[in-house]
Amino acid sequence: MNSFSETEAIALIRLRHSQHQLNEMLKAKRFKIPIHLAFGHEAAAVGMDLTMQPEDVLCLSHRNGAYNLARSKSLKTVLTHYQLEERPNGMAQMASMNLAVDNTGIVYSSSILGNNLAVAAGIALNRKFLQRAGIVFVVMGDGAMEEGAFWETLIFARSHKLGLVVVVENNNCSMSSTIEERRYPIDLSLVCRGLSVIYQHTSGAALYDVKVALKAARAMASDGHPALVELEITTFNQHAGPTPGWADDPMRIVLEDGLLVGHDMKDPLFQLHEVLGAAEFNRLAEHIMKVNHVG
Amino acid sequence: MANPTYIGQIIGQVNEVTEHCGPVFLYGENIDRGSRISGLARGLKVNPAGRIQNVGDCELTHCGIGFGIMLDGGNAGLFVKQLDFMLLGLDQFANTFNSIRAFRQRNTLGSFTVFVIVCDQGYQGPQSSFNGAGDFASIANVPVFCLNGAGDASRVVQKHFVAPGFRMMCLSQRLFGAPVLDVPVETCDEDRGLFRYRSGNDATIVSFNFSLRDSLEMDTHLRGAGMQSDVFHMNFVPRMDMGALVESCRRTRKLVLVDDSKTVTKFGDRLVTELCARGINVKVLSFCRRGCADTDYGATEDRFLPDVERVLAFMRHPACSQ
């Protein structure tokens, strides 16, 4: 396993702790809105945060909470949206499904599968047309790749040599259906090969691997070669709401049991725990949890 | 230009804007190839900072592309062969634009305009027969302008094309080669949603979709019979000010609605509802198709003509006398 910098360790723990707190609030029915937690996606979100440059932008799906938390570094800020607090200048409340926290580089989040792909390509096209710097990252899941918009956007991005990086969080889950339960498997490497789109595949639980893949994809996209990064991810809770958020959700996630939710390499925090060792992990976690705690 | 055609006049208006607007990205399938989208984009020009870009066949993505450009502060113009194709982009019109307008200040946005042909001749068959531009306005709550004559087209294009936000501008294929309708506009509202072309106290005639020529011909016929009417063309602009129409109906007490679209839900219904809500007693004659029979979708001429004799009878009926 690769080492973690202190900044990376703090970011991973803070994000996991924020999700735990949200989960406890969901259990206490403190929200009017649906919230899609993403336990297990921490390395992907933190990796994205560490990869994005100031001029880059990010388009997200409905499962955007981890990215908004990672980019804003503030659970309190995200909570203002989840709690539907008034926004300045009479703007509408964002809530969760379309959350794009200001000043994070997140410019658009869509609750419609595949909808964000074309919008992201449009931003990338405008950047190229106006010769403005910046790469556009767009995040989707393995459900959205079934949409026609996925195919269309790859063709468009490749045809116009856009600075676009498509990140597929493949968690083998579309609401409650696994890939096997709903369709034939899709080999994205072959799809990309057919379109000459750069393809990378890695574990979405390993922060180092995520960073390497995203950095390489960003470099290729900067040269006008759109890229796709497929991240194998385990989502430790299903669809939405508190865990168990779904009737057949196997997980029982409780903050009192500690930050770890998985006990193998599928959990990004388990990987951190193994590298740091229990004592150092717990010391760091205790400190961060104090600072990051919200009432 | 002497005797311009309907489409020539509109493209001339578009070019007037693109000549001076700075960077603008115009795109569409075959926009610079072959027939130039059945002539829609023939003669289209941009300034040196602009671009005309031929693109592939992915309409849904083209609509999202436009919103992406708009989100990033750019100016986009999408040129489309058929209104039917835009059904593929309806998710973007409704859902993407709802999100953008809810969360972003209008003055931080760029511009996205769709120029789309409405295939309203009928000869292209059932899969090219969707002609209800107003349905997009109703579903997505977005401005949809049906360009009928020189007066309204110039004012709509000059005001809205490359202005911040999103809108659709629809063109009638049936009218493409026809001489431009050059009837002076008497008044129009700030949003370019309502145009008044003629004035009179005997009736209020309101045109929707691509019915302005028919409405003006109807008025000409009525004038020959000694009756003078207010003639309006109404675009599909959400929350538009209908004050001028209400005032006219209050004065004339007779309302003639002319709508050549096949849509079932009509914007004219909204006007009638507004009049009722304001307690204005008005007699209504409606020349509005509401859908079609299944057999009406074949490849035959699709021409909806209001019956002028019915209008004369309506105007002369004792129940309509003031």
Side-chain angles (χ1 to χ4, degrees), chain A residues 4-5 7-16 41-52 66-71 73 169 204 207-208 210-211 214 268-269:
Chain A
F4 295 84
S5 70
T7 303
E8 291 168 353
I10 290 171
L12 284 171
I13 292 173
R14 182 175 54 217
L15 177 51
R16 172 61 58 86
H41 293 236
E42 290 86 354
V46 170
M48 178 67 76
D49 180 48
L50 295 170
T51 303
M52 284 178 69
Y67 289 91
N68 274 291
L69 287 164
R71 291 292 290 166
K73 301 168 179 65
E169 293 184 325
L207 178 58
Y208 178 83
V210 171
K211 281 194 310 173
L214 291 180
L269 271 288

Side-chain angles (χ1 to χ4, degrees), chain B residues 7 36 98 101 118 123 154 220 259 268 285 288 293 300:
Chain B
I7 182 61
R36 273 70 174 167
N98 280 350
R101 62 178 151 193
V118 176
Y123 293 114
S154 62
T220 300
D259 185 346
L285 176 62
C288 298
T300 56

Side-chain angles (χ1 to χ4, degrees), chain A residues 50-152:
Chain A
L50 295 170
T51 303
M52 284 178 69
Q53 299 300 304
E55 63 272 22
D56 295 345
V57 297
L58 175 60
C59 296
L60 297 170
S61 70
H62 60 290
R63 197 179 291 279
N64 56 57
Y67 289 91
N68 274 291
L69 287 164
R71 291 292 290 166
S72 68
K73 301 168 179 65
S74 169
L75 174 57
K76 283 182 182 171
T77 300
V78 169
L79 274 174
T80 62
H81 294 285
Y82 288 175
Q83 291 168 338
L84 307 178
E85 290 182 16
E86 253 181 53
R87 299 184 65 211
N89 305 317
M91 302 302 288
Q93 292 94 341
M94 284 189 178
S96 69
M97 303 284 272
N98 302 111
L99 182 59
V101 172
D102 293 336
N103 305 314
T104 59
I106 301 170
V107 293
Y108 181 63
S109 295
S110 174
S111 49
I112 313 294
L113 285 199
N115 163 292
N116 58 352
L117 292 163
V119 175
I123 297 169
L125 178 67
N126 195 53
R127 296 283 167 103
K128 184 178 181 190
F129 172 52
L130 298 179
Q131 297 181 307
R132 281 169 48 192
I135 293 304
V136 182
F137 291 91
V138 57
V139 179
M140 53 176 275
D142 55 277
M145 75 169 76
E146 296 157 20
E147 301 284 352
F150 174 62
W151 175 247
E152 287 191 7

Side-chain angles (χ1 to χ4, degrees), chain B residues 150-173:
Chain B
D152 60 271
S154 62
R155 285 167 176 81
V156 168
V157 171
Q158 297 288 334
K159 167 94 180 178
H160 290 294
F161 179 41
V162 306
F166 170 69
R167 76 287 306 168
M168 294 175 71
M169 296 190 190
C170 301
L171 294 83
S172 161
Q173 187 157 27

